[in-house]
C-alpha cells in the first residue's frame, strides 16, 4: 500500500504518454512555445510504460489515467491502451477529443468505461481562440459518438475570467438534454501560462452565477474526488466544480503522476521529480524510489502556494508547463 506521511493512501496513477499536442490551448502550452516545438525528451517506450504500470500496480495502484500532451497523438497509443487493459485497474483517459473516433473501438475492447474530454467553449470562435485550432465540430461529434457508445463522458472546462466564464450557464443548459458531466476547473498556474490571480473565476463566483439562473442540488462527495458535484433536477447530466485554487482538496489526495520522460511527481505542483526511467533502464529496483518519492510529498499544493492566492507570484513556483507534466 502506498501511504504517505499524512496517512493518505495513493491508489491512482496518471501516466503522461506524450508531451506533444495537436491543440495550442493558451493555459496549457507555454506562451512562448516556438512553432514546430519538440521537447526532445527521452520518452518511455511502450514496454517501459507497461513495466512502470505493473510495478505501480504491485504497490497498490487501482486506477490509471492516460494523459499528455494529447495521449491520442502518440502513434503507439493503441498498443499502450491494449497492454494496460490487461492489468487489474480501472483504466481511463483524458483527451481533447479530436481523434476519439479513431480509437473508440480500442477504448471499448480495453474495457474503458469513462472518458474525460476537454472542452472550454460551446462557441466555435471562442474554441478557436483558446485552442488555436478549428476542431470544434469534430470534438462535438466525438462527444456524441462516446455517448452513443455508452461511455460515461466528463467534460473538463478550464474557466478563465473574461474568456469563457459567461459560458457556464450554456454548459449547464447542455446537461438538460445530454448526459454529459461538465466540470468547471479553476485556472491554475504553470510555467509559461501567463497566470495571475485576477484571472481565476472562483468556485464561489461560479456558484453565484449559476444560482442566479438555475435551481440545483449538491450531490454527495465521493472520497478523494476533486470535483464538487451538482445536479439541476430533471437534467440528464450533472455539473461540478474543481476548485483547486480557492478550495483545494489535498487532505485526501490519492494521486501520483508519471511524466512521459519517466519522472515521478507526488503532486501536480511538486518541485521535485524522481527519475524512475533512468533507474529502470539501469536495472535497479524502482519500488524503493516510488516509496521515497511518496514519503517526500508535501501536505498541500507541493508546498509551493501562499494563502493569498489572488496576489500569489506565479513566477516563484518551480514547475514545468502543464503540457509537459501531463494534466
Ligand atoms: N490533451 C488532453 C486534454 O486536452 O484533455 C490531456 C492533457 S490536458 C493537459 C489535461 C487537462 O488539464 C485538461 O482538461 C486541461 O483543461 C487541464 N489543464 C491544462 N492546463 C490547465 C490550467 N492551467 N489550469 C487548469 N486546468 C488545466
Amino acid at each position: 500500500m502506498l501511504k504517505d506521511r499524512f496517512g493518505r493512501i495513493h491508489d491512482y496513477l496518471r501516466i503522461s504518454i506524450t508531451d506533444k499536442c495537436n491543440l495550442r490551448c493558451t493555459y496549457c502550452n507555454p506562451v512562448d512555445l516556438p512553432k514546430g516545438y519538440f521537447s526532445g525528451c527521452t520518452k518511455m517506450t511502450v514496454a517501459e510504460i507497461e513495466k512502470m504500470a505493473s510495478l505501480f500496480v504491485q504497490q497498490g495502484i487501482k486506477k490509471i489515467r492516460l494523459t499528455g500532451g494529447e495521449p491520442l497523438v502518440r502513434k503507439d497509443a493503441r498498443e499502450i491502451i491494449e497492454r494496460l487493459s490487461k492489468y487489474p485497474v480501472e483504466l481511463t483517459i483524458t483527451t481533447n477529443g479530436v481523434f476519439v473516433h479513431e480509437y473508440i473501438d480500442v477504448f471499448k475492447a480495453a474495457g474503458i468505461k469513462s472518458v474525460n474530454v476537454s472542452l472550454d467553449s460551446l462557441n466555435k470562435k471562442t474554441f478557436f481562440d483558446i485552442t488555436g485550432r478549428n476542431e470544434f465540430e469534430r470534438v462535438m461529434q466525438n462527444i456524441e459518438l462516446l455517448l452513443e457508445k455508452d461511455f460515461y463522458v466528463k467534460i473538463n472546462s478550464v474557466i478563465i475570467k473574461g474568456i469563457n466564464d459567461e459560458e457556464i450557464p450554456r454548459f449547464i443548459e447542455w446537461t438538460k438534454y445530454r448526459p454529459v458531466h461538465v466540470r468547471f476547473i479553476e485556472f491554475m498556474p504553470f510555467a509559461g501560462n501567463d497566470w495571475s490571480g485576477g484571472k481565476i473565476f472562483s468556485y464561489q463566483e461560479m456558484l453565484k452565477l449559476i444560482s442566479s439562473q438555475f435551481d440545483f442540488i449538491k450531490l454527495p462527495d465521493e472520497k478523494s474526488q476533486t470535483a464538487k458535484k451538482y445536479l439541476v433536477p430533471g437534467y440528464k447530466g450533472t455539473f461540478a466544480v474543481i476548485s483547486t485554487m480557492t478550495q483545494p482538496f489535498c487532505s485526501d489526495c490519492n494521486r501520483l503522476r508519471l511524466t512521459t520522460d519517466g519522472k515521478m511527481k507526488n503532486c501536480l505542483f511538486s518541485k521535485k521529480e524522481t527519475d524512475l526511467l533512468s533507474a529502470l533502464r539501469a536495472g535497479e529496483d524502482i519500488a524503493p524510489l516510488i516509496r521515497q518519492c511518496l514519503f517526500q510529498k508535501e501536505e498541500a499544493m507541493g508546498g509551493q502556494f501562499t494563502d493569498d492566492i489572488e496576489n500569489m507570484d506565479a513566477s516563484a513556483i518551480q514547475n514545468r508547463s502543464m503540457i509537459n507534466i501531463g494534466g
Side-chain angles (χ1 to χ4, degrees):
M1 189 193 289
L2 289 166
K3 201 191 257 189
D4 75 358
R5 291 181 291 152
F6 306 96
R8 296 173 293 201
I9 294 165
H10 290 68
D11 55 8
Y12 180 9
L13 176 68
R14 301 168 77 103
I15 306 178
S16 171
I17 62 171
T18 179
D19 60 352
K20 288 191 190 156
C21 189
N22 52 317
L23 301 186
R24 286 284 170 270
C25 303
T26 46
Y27 53 75
C28 187
N29 288 255
V31 278
D32 52 359
L33 200 70
K35 209 167 186 289
Y37 163 80
F38 173 59
S39 78
C41 73
T42 307
K43 288 190 177 48
M44 293 183 286
T45 62
V46 177
E48 286 165 344
I49 291 172
E50 182 179 2
K51 183 72 189 162
M52 292 277 192
S54 74
L55 293 169
F56 272 94
V57 170
Q58 277 171 23
Q59 300 288 313
I61 290 298
K62 297 194 169 65
K63 176 172 175 179
I64 293 180
R65 176 175 302 281
L66 299 180
T67 183
E70 169 49 40
L72 301 182
V73 300
R74 182 160 165 157
K75 299 243 165 351
D76 46 18
R78 182 176 303 267
E79 199 185 340
I80 294 168
I81 296 167
E82 282 166 359
R83 287 211 197 185
L84 296 195
S85 71
K86 309 281 183 309
Y87 289 84
V89 288
E90 178 190 344
L91 184 63
T92 178
I93 189 160
T94 298
T95 169
N96 59 35
V98 176
F99 299 115
V100 159
H101 58 292
E102 294 178 22
Y103 287 88
I104 198 121
D105 296 339
V106 186
F107 291 174
K108 268 282 169 217
I112 292 177
K113 305 232 163 6
S114 171
V115 176
N116 287 15
V117 180
S118 299
L119 178 70
D120 307 312
S121 177
L122 289 169
N123 175 294
K124 194 176 168 183
K125 179 178 178 305
T126 314
F127 178 96
F128 179 82
D129 291 344
I130 295 173
T131 63
R133 300 289 185 270
N134 233 329
E135 298 286 6
F136 175 72
E137 266 123 18
R138 170 62 78 188
V139 174
M140 292 305 283
Q141 280 163 14
N142 278 342
I143 290 170
E144 282 302 321
L145 181 63
L146 285 163
L147 292 173
E148 255 169 50
K149 302 275 179 184
D150 289 328
F151 287 91
Y152 188 89
V153 181
K154 294 187 203 164
I155 305 292
N156 287 351
S157 287
V158 179
I159 303 297
I160 303 179
K161 194 173 269 179
I163 303 288
N164 59 348
D165 50 307
E166 287 182 351
E167 284 204 53
I168 290 176
R170 201 167 162 205
F171 272 107
I172 296 178
E173 199 58 26
W174 189 28
T175 70
K176 182 172 183 177
Y177 306 102
R178 305 304 293 141
V180 285
H181 303 279
V182 183
R183 293 125 51 90
F184 303 116
I185 308 175
E186 288 179 348
F187 181 32
M188 300 183 271
F190 293 99
N193 79 346
D194 205 19
W195 180 93
S196 71
K199 292 184 184 173
I200 299 177
F201 195 70
S202 70
Y203 176 30
Q204 285 313 320
E205 287 172 300
M206 291 184 199
L207 287 190
K208 194 170 164 213
L209 171 64
I210 297 166
S211 49
S212 70
Q213 301 189 32
F214 300 92
D215 287 325
F216 56 89
I217 54 170
K218 173 93 179 64
L219 295 171
D221 289 325
E222 289 157 36
K223 189 165 166 28
S224 300
Q225 275 305 312
T226 53
K228 297 168 181 71
K229 289 198 220 158
Y230 300 87
L231 167 80
V232 179
Y235 283 20
K236 292 194 165 133
T238 61
F239 72 91
V241 181
I242 302 187
S243 57
T244 319
M245 301 306 295
T246 63
Q247 279 190 40
F249 26 78
C250 305
S251 59
D252 64 348
C253 180
N254 65 342
R255 294 167 170 70
L256 297 172
R257 288 165 191 273
L258 192 57
T259 61
T260 192
D261 53 346
K263 309 270 177 9
M264 176 174 165
K265 280 176 80 74
N266 57 28
C267 168
L268 180 56
F269 295 105
S270 65
K271 248 186 237 178
K272 207 172 166 289
E273 300 180 347
T274 299
D275 185 359
L276 298 186
L277 183 57
S278 299
L280 188 80
R281 288 185 177 177
E284 290 169 30
D285 177 9
I286 65 165
L289 294 178
I290 294 175
R291 291 183 172 277
Q292 197 180 43
C293 177
L294 178 61
F295 189 73
Q296 291 162 342
K297 181 160 175 155
E298 300 282 347
E299 191 168 9
M301 305 300 266
Q304 297 217 68
F305 281 37
T306 58
D307 287 340
D308 184 7
I309 292 294
E310 182 80 10
N311 297 305
M312 194 169 68
D313 174 12
S315 65
I317 298 172
Q318 289 175 38
N319 207 354
R320 308 192 203 186
S321 59
M322 183 63 132
I323 190 172
N324 213 245
I325 299 168

